[in-house]
Amino acid sequence: MDSLVKKYSMPDKNGHFEEFGGKYVPETLIPALDELEQEYLKCKNDKDFKKEFFNLLKHYGGRPTPLYLAKNISKELGFHVWLKREDLNHTGAHKINNALGQILLAHRMGKKRIIAETGAGQHGVATAAVAAKFGLECIVYMGEEDIERQKLNVFKINLMGAKVIPVTSGSKTLKDATNEAIRDWVTNVENTFYIIGSSVGPHPYPMLVRDFQSVIGTETKKQFKDITNNELPDRLVACVGGGSNALGLFYPFIDDDVKIVGVEAAGKGIDTNQHAATLTKGEFGVLHGAASMLLQSIDGQVALPYSLSAGLDYPGIGPEHSYLQKTKRVEYSSATDNEALEAFKWLSEKEGIIPALETAHAVAYLKNKKNNIKKNEHVILNLSGRGDKDINTIAKELGIEL
Amino acid sequence: MNRIKELFSKDSKKLIVFITAGFPNKDSTKDLVMEAIKGGADMIEIGIPFSDPQADGPVIQAANEIALKNGITLLEIFEQVKEIRSQTDIPIALMGYYNPILKMGTMDFIKKCNDAEIDGVILPDLPLDESVEFCNNLKDKNISPILLVAPNTSKERIKKISNLAGELIYAVSILGITGNDLSSKNNLENYLAKVKENSETPFMVGFGISSNKDVKWFNNFSDGAVVGSAIIKKVLKDRKKGVVENFVKNLKK
């Protein structure tokens, strides 16, 4: 999982990406985080663990996912657009990669009860699936508002035997679901494993989620070379909420001469107060166990983010993204609800691929910035998830009754 | 001498009362604190409301939400504490989450604590690993960093934590959040004995302590008991004057 890393070596042993990251959690969780870190470091280089993980990715998850040259949009844009088809994974998004990795850890640690938070429901579905497979009890915390906009995923989670607990505090979205999951973990820490869905939270989570997801980038690198005979693509693009699909693609290319772009949700516009563009508009802060950039008020209260896409509707961001922004290794851009909706329709019509609304933000970047991208560039976009779950939201936006 | 050190150098058992600032009304802080003192509280914890209080149960979450709706800010809390300080010499600690303090700037926060004669600071989301510099800066101003230990904290770590804290530590009674039910007395006894044996400072116990009976029991094993959610619950139910005073009197009996 880490064999491709040459120079870049983050986080440090205390889980810091310079000032970002760390473990800002109640004392009760410290022993659990230490235990998790030790187990992970043991497994990371363990042949049997790796074999089991990659077997599951292949036979349960459906890997490798294709790297597909989207010729129609490439022609329209004037550069080569390659889609890394994470939407073709079991459960419909990249989330399954991480859920499989973490449930293997839980299994090894003998934990009988799984908890998770979810926004768009994709991580909830992935966690419910792997918990069912391993025969473990599973509780998914989900904001009331997200339950409303992602009914299909709630239904799927229930079908697989997991329980969805509605969260009614705060903005009733991902941020509050995460608070509730942390409170549950503090209370049930002895028998419970918390499967965090993105590269957020206290150390070691941002690191291990990134590592489990980095199968995306490792595969992509090999596929691109095999197909094109070129060493490297010119540019990578991915949407960023917490940031796990993006890091999964980016990480194996971090030391390479490749331009890397993350796309945040600009909601109704970054000059309004209704967006989720943490890196574009946030300030240094601490939330959910890590120091990172954060959308917040002048008094340090966490701001209520906004995005039409439930998976990007989060006021924080993984600490490694804050670090990659600070060091300018990754460029961060943003796309609005409307731009994402347009891109959603565009990709569906041109390529016959319906992307998740989250992913559509990255697709929108290609259209928005096409003049900044050189002719014949090879651009790889992480098509992180499929759009089935968003059909109701999209129909509503288009004024169509299903 | 720091008021907390002075209080905990006495042999008596201390009752520490927690009040959320700006709750139930923005200007209630002082009245509720003065009621708690009249009722017999030995030390006051003033909660800084936060939008995402991860270590708190539903009761203190509700108080936080109400206080934030009332528009209370950290700057206003310092003004309220100054007013309280002009009327009492009781030890006062601030309890809150790290982000609002980071936003203000930690050095600015410490300076304002010093100006308002605050004696201690409790931040449940700033554990030992991340807090060394902050704690040392507090201690430079003679303010006690009151670090927390939990039932699953190792002996070695209790030693380190109490060593960094210097004057007082806070033993969380349970694996859980504020207002949760207490675990079995047998487990608690073993845990508190472990804290006593390994801590280099006095310690108070909190989380889930809600009655006179609880307080009396904890007094057998610790230097003091913190009551928070139970107080807030009373105020949520009945905002009449005297509710806090009577409840604290009863706890102290």
Side-chain angles (χ1 to χ4, degrees), chain A residues 25 33 36 95 98-99 102 114-118 123 127 178 181-182 185 193-206 208-209 212-213 244 288-289 314:
Chain A
V25 292
L33 292 170
L36 174 61
K95 295 289 186 189
N98 167 54
Q102 288 198 48
I114 301 295
I115 58 169
E117 84 298 335
T118 197
H123 175 58
T127 305
T178 309
I182 291 173
W185 199 29
F193 190 102
Y194 178 18
I195 299 191
I196 290 186
S198 194
S199 50
V200 299
H203 181 66
Y205 281 107
L208 67 87
V209 174
F212 288 141
Q213 290 293 1
S244 70
H288 296 152
Y314 184 67

Side-chain angles (χ1 to χ4, degrees), chain A residues 23 27 175 179 183 301, chain B residues 51-53 99 130 152 157:
Chain A
K23 286 184 209 176
E27 182 61 30
K175 160 180 94 80
N179 288 336
R183 290 183 188 118
Q301 305 296 341
Chain B
S51 53
D52 297 78
N99 196 60
E130 306 290 349
N152 54 356
R157 204 170 148 91

Side-chain angles (χ1 to χ4, degrees), chain A residues 136-154:
Chain A
L136 300 175
E137 180 192 358
C138 178
I139 309 280
V140 178
Y141 289 94
M142 189 166 184
E144 222 173 35
E145 190 172 320
D146 291 338
I147 287 179
E148 181 55 34
R149 50 184 173 176
Q150 304 289 349
K151 282 183 190 150
L152 187 64
N153 276 342
V154 175

Side-chain angles (χ1 to χ4, degrees), chain B residues 1-7 9 89 119 142 167:
Chain B
M1 186 162 40
N2 171 308
R3 292 181 191 88
I4 289 174
K5 190 172 182 181
E6 197 180 331
L7 175 65
S9 65
D89 217 24
D119 308 291
N142 202 22
E167 316 282 11

Side-chain angles (χ1 to χ4, degrees), chain B residues 39-60:
Chain B
D42 300 295
M43 173 172 155
I44 301 290
E45 261 180 40
I46 295 179
I48 305 167
F50 183 50
S51 53
D52 297 78
Q54 283 154 40
D56 285 304
V59 171
I60 294 180

Side-chain angles (χ1 to χ4, degrees), chain B residues 204-224:
Chain B
M204 55 186 191
V205 191
F207 283 39
I209 300 176
S210 63
S211 65
N212 171 273
K213 207 174 124 208
D214 291 345
V215 170
K216 280 214 168 97
W217 189 86
F218 278 101
N219 283 345
N220 294 321
F221 305 97
S222 71
D223 302 296

